[in-house]
Amino acid sequence: MTTPRDAFEESPVRLSPLVDTHAHLDDPRLAGQLAVLLGRARQAGLVGIVAVATTWESSQAVQRMAIDHADAGVVAAVGFHPNQLDEARPGDRDRLESLGDAPGVVAVGETGLDRYWNRVAFDLQRDWFDWHLDWARRIGLPVVIHCRDSAEDILDQLRGRPRPLQGVLHSFTGNLDQARAFLDLGLHLSFAGQLTFANKALEPLREAARFVPEDRLLVETDSPYLSPHPHRGRTNEPSRVVHTASTLAHLRGVDPEALAQRLTQNAQILFQRANWNPSPCPLS
């Protein structure tokens, strides 16, 4: 599939070092342009990208990308997205477990719960979420959690588990109270392109972004989705995480370069198997 030209035509803004902690690099809109995409990410100052899986086949694909593009800081999260569990086949859990200690794999996921699309039975989502959480704890990896219209469901499911939880609530869109609740469980919170949108309805999200302790903050693109302002509506890519990080720095009243350094340190601490260089990335 050909990637829309507008996804790759402008020169990226630069802020270094940064890690895009959530990108679906195996999506057809990105996979066919991977060399271009990774080059642009480097130009923008990125030192790492977490390529996140959604199915067993996707898990295989991102793990291969982590091997093939380790020099670009690509690592993998392997798991089954709640909205794609209708594609799961007998034996997929065993197949996924075979990747738990595979080279390049640093996290379990994307897993979680979703009431928005309502196309996969919620009990099935809960069962798989529990399985991912158990698996991640057994192998000592952080878990990448998807939450859409299901914050209270996820909190209820997590509160009965051992603490602290090691993982990230990705593309956080909740309010201050929800942020506090997830932080109390030990999770990191990752902010995506919504933080840059002008919508007044997102003021509670911006309030939460100001509140989260510095050592629990992460940023992401969720590429190819959620392209930040000024590229909203276009195919997203990892280099654009710079816009989200810059907005986060502005909201918190801190120096963008200093925040970028801290965000990268946070990512390295959470994704311990990754081997990113937290020093600013040179252009050459």
Side-chain angles (χ1 to χ4, degrees):
M1 180 182 295
T2 301
T3 303
R5 191 168 60 89
D6 67 3
F8 302 102
E9 66 185 8
E10 80 285 348
S11 298
V13 177
R14 180 174 170 81
L15 181 61
S16 188
L18 277 177
V19 173
D20 179 0
T21 61
H22 198 108
H24 297 285
L25 296 185
D26 64 316
D27 186 282
R29 287 165 285 185
L30 302 181
Q33 297 281 340
L34 195 55
V36 173
L37 180 154
L38 295 177
R40 290 168 60 78
R42 182 175 178 81
Q43 284 183 302
L46 273 68
V47 297
I49 302 169
V50 183
V52 181
T54 57
T55 64
W56 158 241
E57 290 79 9
S58 173
S59 295
Q60 290 179 291
V62 297
Q63 194 264 336
R64 287 194 299 268
M65 287 178 175
I67 297 299
D68 294 343
H69 300 286
D71 59 342
V74 177
V75 295
V78 295
F80 228 112
H81 194 291
N83 287 332
Q84 293 182 250
L85 289 171
D86 53 351
E87 301 175 31
R89 299 163 299 175
D92 274 352
R93 291 185 180 183
D94 290 338
R95 285 185 277 270
L96 283 170
E97 289 203 13
S98 72
L99 292 179
D101 60 355
V105 172
V106 302
V108 166
E110 171 176 2
T111 183
L113 302 175
D114 191 311
R115 287 193 181 273
Y116 179 82
W117 290 109
N118 197 32
R119 68 184 184 215
V120 173
F122 208 67
D123 285 346
L124 181 61
Q125 293 186 46
R126 285 186 183 277
D127 179 65
W128 273 83
F129 188 26
D130 267 334
W131 176 79
H132 280 90
L133 292 165
D134 288 340
W135 177 36
R137 189 168 186 85
R138 274 190 283 113
I139 63 177
L141 289 185
V143 62
V144 178
I145 300 175
H146 170 96
C147 173
R148 191 163 187 187
D149 290 357
S150 56
E152 294 307 315
D153 299 291
I154 287 179
L155 286 167
D156 286 345
Q157 194 157 343
L158 294 179
R159 282 172 175 145
R161 306 191 65 86
R163 301 185 195 177
L165 291 168
Q166 183 186 15
V168 54
L169 202 293
H170 108 85
S171 189
F172 180 74
T173 56
N175 57 35
L176 184 56
D177 288 342
Q178 290 169 342
R180 284 195 177 102
F182 285 117
L183 290 166
D184 285 347
L185 292 171
L187 295 172
H188 287 64
L189 300 185
S190 179
F191 293 89
Q194 304 100 316
L195 199 64
T196 71
F197 299 167
N199 311 41
K200 288 185 178 180
L202 291 171
E203 283 306 315
L205 175 62
R206 285 184 271 273
E207 182 184 21
R210 295 184 189 99
F211 167 79
V212 176
E214 188 180 65
D215 64 347
R216 300 282 200 92
L217 284 170
L218 296 171
V219 288
E220 64 175 90
T221 58
D222 201 13
S223 301
Y225 312 104
L226 299 176
S227 199
H229 177 79
H231 308 293
R232 188 174 180 180
R234 300 179 182 178
T235 302
N236 203 3
E237 59 168 297
S239 66
R240 292 183 183 157
V241 76
V242 170
H243 297 289
T244 300
S246 296
T247 297
L248 184 59
H250 175 74
L251 287 170
R252 294 172 68 90
V254 299
D255 175 67
E257 293 285 349
L259 182 62
Q261 188 80 34
R262 187 53 192 257
L263 291 167
T264 299
Q265 292 171 354
N266 293 346
Q268 181 67 75
I269 290 168
L270 181 63
F271 301 107
Q272 293 182 13
R273 284 194 193 171
N275 188 26
W276 298 311
N277 179 3
S279 300
C281 180
L283 283 169
S284 58

